[in-house]
């Protein structure tokens, strides 16, 4: 997997003449509306949590950019109305977003995402051994960037991999996360 990402990055950067002055760096924070999809999930409800982290935007042409990110992403699901019914899944995610600018400010975004499970809890009980450590997904969304560096985004992460890691439990679960965020490019 590392080799595939390295080759893809070399291909992208090899096709352009990006200078350090072109790259923008910033931070973002936002809300997650997360749940689990898959087998026997009819009673599962959405949980609300946070996402925050660092972003960079590398312009590849006038219309295309590459935006890698490193984010904390609070995810999970709820089994009922009580807080003790919530399963909290915390991930370090690495979205690798391609951006196509429809206008100077408005962009369509899409790209793969790697998620590394940091913790899994329900009512302070450690459930990390019940969930896989790596989550693969793909993001689709919209972005809007102002000239002053302020930016907004809305995206949906479709989980591609089964996050269930209990051998005796055959149900397959995938993360599904709607994210809305605000960010700022410092330079």
């Amino acid at each position: 997997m590392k080799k595939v990402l390295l080759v893809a990055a070399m291909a992208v950067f090899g096709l352009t003449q990006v200078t350090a002055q072109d790259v923008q760096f910033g931070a973002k924070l936002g809300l997650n509306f997360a749940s689990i999809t898959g087998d026997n999930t009819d009673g599962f409800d959405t949980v609300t949590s946070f996402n925050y982290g660092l972003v960079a935007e590398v312009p590849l042409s006038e219309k295309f950019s590459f935006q890698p990110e490193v984010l904390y992403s609070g995810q999970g699901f709820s089994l009922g109305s009580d807080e003790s019914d919530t399963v909290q899944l915390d991930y370090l995610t690495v979205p690798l977003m391609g951006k196509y600018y429809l206008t100077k400010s408005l962009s369509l975004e899409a790209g793969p995402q790697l998620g590394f499970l940091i913790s899994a809890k329900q009512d302070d009980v450690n459930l990390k051994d019940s969930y896989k450590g790596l989550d693969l997904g793909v993001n689709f969304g919209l972005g809007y960037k102002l000239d002053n560096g302020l930016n907004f985004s809305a995206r949906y992460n479709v989980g591609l991999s089964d996050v269930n890691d209990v051998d005796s439990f055959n149900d397959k679960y995938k993360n599904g996360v709607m994210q809305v965020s605000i960010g700022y490019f410092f330079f």
Side-chain angles (χ1 to χ4, degrees):
M1 184 61 135
K2 289 179 185 178
K3 289 180 183 179
V4 171
L5 291 174
L6 180 61
V7 169
M10 289 172 50
V12 167
F13 290 112
L15 296 174
T16 64
Q17 295 180 345
V18 176
T19 66
Q21 297 145 341
D22 296 330
V23 179
Q24 293 182 308
F25 295 95
K28 68 187 279 186
L29 67 101
L31 290 175
N32 283 354
F33 304 96
S35 192
I36 295 287
T37 61
D39 302 330
N40 300 312
T41 58
D42 291 338
F44 290 13
D45 292 323
T46 301
V47 296
T48 304
S49 191
F50 296 97
N51 67 77
Y52 56 86
L54 302 173
V55 301
E57 184 169 351
V58 182
L60 304 176
S61 71
E62 186 177 314
K63 293 280 190 180
F64 289 99
S65 288
F66 172 62
Q67 183 169 300
E69 304 174 359
V70 176
L71 305 173
Y72 160 82
S73 183
Q75 299 175 195
F77 58 97
S78 177
L79 299 167
S81 59
D82 190 59
E83 190 172 309
S84 65
D85 295 331
T86 299
V87 175
Q88 178 68 37
L89 303 173
D90 297 316
Y91 287 91
L92 177 67
T93 62
V94 182
L96 302 171
M97 304 299 291
K99 296 175 74 172
Y100 174 74
Y101 280 91
L102 299 170
T103 68
K104 179 182 173 196
S105 300
L106 180 65
S107 62
L108 296 175
E109 303 176 355
Q113 174 176 292
L114 299 171
F116 302 95
L117 185 65
I118 300 169
S119 70
K121 293 188 240 179
Q122 181 180 7
D123 202 22
D124 292 327
V125 175
N126 183 354
L127 299 175
K128 193 170 180 184
D129 290 340
S130 299
Y131 295 91
K132 293 184 180 167
L134 181 64
D135 179 38
L136 303 175
V138 63
N139 293 306
F140 302 96
L142 294 170
Y144 193 84
K145 183 169 68 171
L146 301 174
D147 289 337
N148 64 4
L150 193 61
N151 59 83
F152 308 90
S153 68
R155 71 173 63 142
Y156 188 77
N157 174 261
V158 178
L160 299 177
S161 58
D162 179 15
V163 296
N164 178 26
D165 201 21
V166 179
D167 291 334
S168 62
F169 196 61
N170 292 326
D171 288 348
K172 296 192 182 321
Y173 296 143
K174 296 178 182 179
N175 283 310
V177 185
M178 177 68 195
Q179 294 182 323
V180 292
S181 61
I182 185 170
Y184 185 75
F185 286 108
F186 301 110
F187 50 92

